[in-house]
Amino acid sequence: MRIDSTLAFAQELDTQDPLANMRSHFAIPKQANGEDEYYFTGNSLGLQPKLARQYVIELLDDWQKHGVKGHFEGDYPWMPYHEFLARQSAALVGALAEEVVMMNSLTVNLHLMMVSFYQPKGKRTKILIEDHAFPSDHYAVESQLKHHQLDVQENMLLWSPRVRNGVQEELLNHDDLYQMIDRQGDEIALILLPGVQYYTGQVLDMKTITEKAHAKGILVGFDLAHAAGNLEMQMHDWQVDFACWCSYKYLNSGAGSVAGCFIHQKHSRNTDINRFAGWWGHDKESRFKMENNFKAIGTAEGWQLSNPPVLSLAAIRGSLDTIDLAGGMSVLRQKSLKLSQYLMDLIEAELGDSIRIITPKADAERGCQVSLMVTVEGLDGKAMFDALEENGVTTDWREPNVIRVAPVPLYNSYQDAWHFVRILKECLQ
Ligand SMILES: Cc1ncc(COP(=O)(O)O)c(C=O)c1O
């Protein structure tokens, strides 16, 4: 389909966009000339919702006013603060409120989940991940294997993209994974995969992967760092065993903010499951009796260790309320698909062979993020990324060769996408 490449068309799309006013709920960084940046890095660090700032300031005021009594006083007392986030966080990943808790950070939660759900036994000792997993996930898995005194080479199975004519493809092929599950399923204890691959933006078929793995007795966990706040998911119905995600990307809660953790009800109600324990996971009724008999809460909260950093939780509450203001994930996803499709069509129409989009085109296989490679002979992708930055466009560079561009439905406009392509075209010339 031929796309209308005019600015007027982008403006018209913005006029018709039911979410256009959501941008005013965010702080948009400025360029040196005072104009808004073209910000496409919500896949790395989401922008600040005004409500996040408001709630953090209110929390600071409560601390000023109540001191320690803030644990119990005020509209949002700190003691149960994480509980205020459970329903909305669960809705984001398609879970029950009791299956989700905001705690720690992403890699810490991955470790905690592996303590519980990676229990090598007999010949079932392997963990399957993807070959280009985010380094932290790779390190976490590697160190878990070492923790169990297992040989990493033998026990870490890697799902890689295919090699065609001596060149490795970028995208993962699900059939290859299903064959690994068929052939080696009896030896695999855990599959840990991303919902969205961070480099290519490819969405994995979490439902089918879980079904196939379970049929072979394998537990399945997902790293939803790039999926939470980006895709619609059904963690509960898909029977996923556990999932972890950070809150600073599409969940706009600030750098290093507290992370999310999903533990399916079939596990979370089982208080006998092996875990690393701390007092915040202990039964709420008797927590302050200060006895030393750990009794896990029979929900995802039973995996908490410490009393959480409430300043961060306040920012998350602001972000979740902002997502609710927009109408929730299905509304965001509708715009996201349309906006990223527009961006990809415009890139293809205007930049032709100079740019290769490696993100899959099909709706079901992509989220917000569009990953680009510069293919002009003699032009360096990193230099292009730097040139974009100098011209007010914030994208994200990932070694070895990709510019990641994430038009986010909450605050990016069609005009942002149009200007991105215009500026990239100028840089390429
Ligand atoms: C897919 C993925 N996994 C893990 C991490 C590490 O997250 P954290 O530093 O919050 O543990 C990131 C961070 O960007 C990520 O994108």
Side-chain angles (χ1 to χ4, degrees):
M1 197 185 69
R2 197 71 204 118
I3 184 170
D4 184 340
S5 297
T6 62
L7 175 60
F9 184 62
Q11 287 165 335
E12 178 55 28
L13 291 173
D14 280 330
T15 313
Q16 291 166 11
D17 173 12
L19 291 181
N21 77 316
M22 288 310 299
R23 185 179 172 90
S24 66
H25 293 269
F26 286 84
I28 314 285
K30 299 284 180 206
Q31 304 180 44
N33 65 8
E35 286 176 16
D36 286 355
E37 260 180 34
Y38 302 110
Y39 192 87
F40 290 102
T41 329
N43 59 323
S44 176
L45 187 81
L47 289 181
Q48 185 185 101
K50 292 181 180 167
L51 277 181
R53 181 185 172 83
Q54 180 188 322
Y55 293 173
V56 168
I57 290 171
E58 284 171 6
L59 194 133
L60 286 170
D61 288 345
D62 279 345
W63 177 22
Q64 208 171 48
K65 199 157 119 199
H66 302 293
V68 71
K69 297 192 189 84
H71 283 295
F72 311 100
E73 293 178 359
D75 291 337
Y76 290 92
W78 311 330
M79 182 81 149
Y81 208 103
H82 65 279
E83 295 172 29
F84 304 135
L85 313 178
R87 184 189 53 78
Q88 289 160 297
S89 305
L92 286 179
V93 297
L96 307 175
E98 69 175 78
E99 293 173 319
V100 168
V101 61
M102 302 303 293
M103 61 178 187
N104 313 309
S105 47
L106 170 53
T107 310
V108 174
N109 288 341
L110 286 172
H111 274 297
L112 292 182
M113 291 301 97
M114 282 191 271
V115 165
S116 291
F117 301 110
Y118 173 55
Q119 302 278 337
K121 223 178 266 143
K123 69 172 187 170
R124 200 185 278 282
T125 55
K126 298 184 176 165
I127 304 182
L128 188 152
I129 61 172
E130 48 127 353
D131 193 16
H132 201 186
F134 194 88
S136 204
D137 299 40
H138 193 104
Y139 305 149
V141 167
E142 202 172 72
S143 55
Q144 285 283 334
L145 291 169
K146 287 181 182 163
H147 177 68
H148 288 279
Q149 274 104 43
L150 288 166
D151 183 87
V152 174
Q153 293 286 344
E154 266 175 37
N155 290 286
M156 187 193 267
L157 286 182
L158 298 176
W159 172 28
S160 313
R162 290 182 182 178
V163 178
R164 205 185 289 267
N165 302 326
V167 181
Q168 185 154 50
E169 295 179 346
E170 284 94 17
L171 299 179
L172 292 158
N173 186 314
H174 284 78
D175 288 338
D176 298 345
L177 172 68
Y178 302 150
Q179 271 184 24
M180 290 172 90
I181 293 175
D182 269 350
R183 290 198 190 128
Q184 300 176 73
D186 297 348
E187 297 170 10
I188 305 173
L190 175 69
I191 293 181
L192 179 65
L193 290 170
V196 177
Q197 211 284 340
Y198 79 95
Y199 187 75
T200 61
Q202 179 181 16
V203 172
L204 300 187
D205 182 350
M206 293 176 259
K207 179 171 186 274
T208 310
I209 292 171
T210 307
E211 276 166 17
K212 300 233 183 229
H214 283 175
K216 284 280 188 177
I218 305 165
L219 295 182
V220 182
F222 286 105
D223 176 339
L224 302 180
H226 291 263
N230 181 9
L231 306 178
E232 285 184 273
M233 292 173 285
Q234 300 301 332
M235 287 294 118
H236 177 83
D237 289 348
W238 296 344
Q239 297 286 324
V240 171
D241 295 288
F242 69 85
C244 305
W245 60 95
C246 55
S247 63
Y248 43 79
K249 299 180 187 291
Y250 298 104
L251 296 182
N252 310 310
S253 302
S257 208
V258 169
C261 190
F262 161 86
I263 302 149
H264 197 282
Q265 189 184 51
K266 64 192 167 189
H267 303 303
S268 62
R269 289 189 172 178
N270 180 357
T271 53
D272 291 334
I273 288 186
N274 183 58
R275 70 193 72 196
F276 282 174
W279 76 315
W280 226 249
H282 180 90
D283 168 52
K284 291 177 204 174
E285 299 300 312
S286 55
R287 185 186 284 150
F288 283 93
K289 291 201 170 137
M290 308 315 246
E291 295 163 348
N292 285 336
N293 305 314
F294 180 71
K295 186 176 162 202
I297 302 170
T299 69
E301 291 172 280
W303 272 263
Q304 293 173 110
L305 299 177
S306 305
N307 80 100
V310 285
L311 285 166
S312 164
L313 298 188
I316 296 174
R317 191 166 66 80
S319 165
L320 294 172
D321 280 359
T322 306
I323 290 174
D324 276 2
L325 272 178
M329 256 337 288
S330 71
V331 180
L332 292 181
R333 176 70 170 150
Q334 272 173 40
K335 174 174 170 189
S336 165
L337 284 172
K338 210 172 149 195
L339 181 57
S340 49
Q341 183 70 55
Y342 170 76
L343 175 68
M344 291 195 293
D345 289 348
L346 203 57
I347 289 171
E348 282 181 350
E350 291 295 301
L351 308 176
D353 293 340
S354 316
I355 293 290
R356 188 158 73 83
I357 298 172
I358 63 169
T359 307
K361 302 281 157 54
D363 285 2
E365 293 173 47
R366 66 185 171 84
C368 290
Q369 180 184 320
V370 178
S371 298
L372 309 175
M373 278 184 186
V374 177
T375 51
V376 183
E377 185 85 11
L379 263 192
D380 172 39
K382 176 69 168 56
M384 263 320 96
F385 161 78
D386 291 338
L388 283 167
E389 188 112 326
E390 277 162 29
N391 286 281
V393 181
T394 307
T395 57
D396 172 276
W397 173 253
R398 274 286 172 267
E399 294 293 341
N401 208 9
V402 153
I403 299 175
R404 302 187 304 177
V405 188
V408 169
L410 274 169
Y411 46 77
N412 281 119
S413 64
Y414 291 87
Q415 286 172 77
D416 282 345
W418 188 88
H419 283 291
F420 169 80
V421 176
R422 172 185 63 81
I423 294 168
L424 182 54
K425 194 172 182 179
E426 287 164 12
C427 294
L428 286 165
Q429 282 163 4

